[in-house]
Amino acid sequence: MFFNSETVEDLEFKPLAEGLYTATVVACDYGPTAKGDGAILKVEYSVDGHEQKIIDNFNLENPNPVAVKIGKSQLKNLCEKIGRPQLKQPTDLIGGRVKAKVSHREYNGKIYLNVDKYLPEKTGSATDADQKPHQQKASELTPQKSADDDLPF
């Protein structure tokens, strides 16, 4: 038998928490949209210290001129932040490092990552605290007096 699905446990997909991440462009693909009426640049990033990847799509050809304007503006922002303002081909982005501010968006009942903003890699803004949900340290907690504190036992 080549494969038995009954012996494999299901994995639960957990997207990256919202936050700021340092990432490297590892793949690019320029091709037609799902409808076939335009073209998108699909950019895949590996995220330092995480197994999950970020995928961002740039709508560069579309019947809707506003979609193209947004896509080109977002790509311009990425290119400037990784220090490659001109691309001879899409794969020129590969190896570029950037900080990506990531949020969540829901579509058809699934959670997807959305890159809200790109920053240069060396901004000093992404720290462990930025990359993980905030957790208070015991030293940050303030003891609260409860009504039971006045009881003699």
Side-chain angles (χ1 to χ4, degrees):
M1 177 181 309
F2 173 70
F3 181 77
N4 182 354
S5 65
E6 294 173 358
T7 63
V8 178
E9 78 180 70
D10 290 332
L11 294 178
E12 182 181 343
F13 172 75
K14 293 182 183 177
L16 288 169
E18 293 181 325
L20 191 61
Y21 295 93
T22 302
T24 304
V25 177
V26 293
C28 296
D29 182 41
Y30 184 70
T33 60
K35 287 183 181 180
D37 61 352
I40 60 168
L41 175 62
K42 182 177 181 178
V43 179
E44 182 179 321
Y45 307 84
S46 67
V47 180
D48 291 6
H50 298 274
E51 290 183 23
Q52 297 99 327
K53 295 190 183 285
I54 298 171
I55 296 175
D56 203 4
N57 294 318
F58 301 90
N59 203 340
L60 302 179
E61 294 179 37
N62 191 289
N64 181 342
V66 175
V68 173
K69 185 175 182 178
I70 292 168
K72 287 183 177 182
S73 176
Q74 291 170 332
L75 181 58
K76 174 186 178 190
N77 183 269
L78 171 63
C79 290
E80 288 174 349
K81 299 308 185 267
I82 65 171
R84 298 178 187 174
Q86 296 180 349
L87 306 174
K88 291 183 181 176
Q89 55 194 8
T91 55
D92 290 348
L93 289 169
I94 294 175
R97 292 184 50 82
V98 69
K99 288 188 180 166
K101 184 175 185 284
V102 174
S103 65
H104 293 163
R105 66 178 164 83
E106 187 176 336
Y107 181 72
N108 287 339
K110 292 184 179 181
I111 300 293
Y112 293 90
L113 297 177
N114 190 58
V115 178
D116 296 327
K117 185 177 188 179
Y118 292 104
L119 299 168
E121 177 191 11
K122 299 194 185 314
T123 61
S125 300
T127 64
D128 264 357
D130 294 325
Q131 295 180 11
K132 297 177 184 166
H134 181 68
Q135 296 176 350
Q136 285 185 311
K137 299 175 187 169
S139 61
E140 295 175 334
L141 299 176
T142 305
Q144 301 293 317
K145 184 175 181 175
S146 73
D148 294 340
D149 286 348
D150 294 331
L151 297 176
F153 51 91

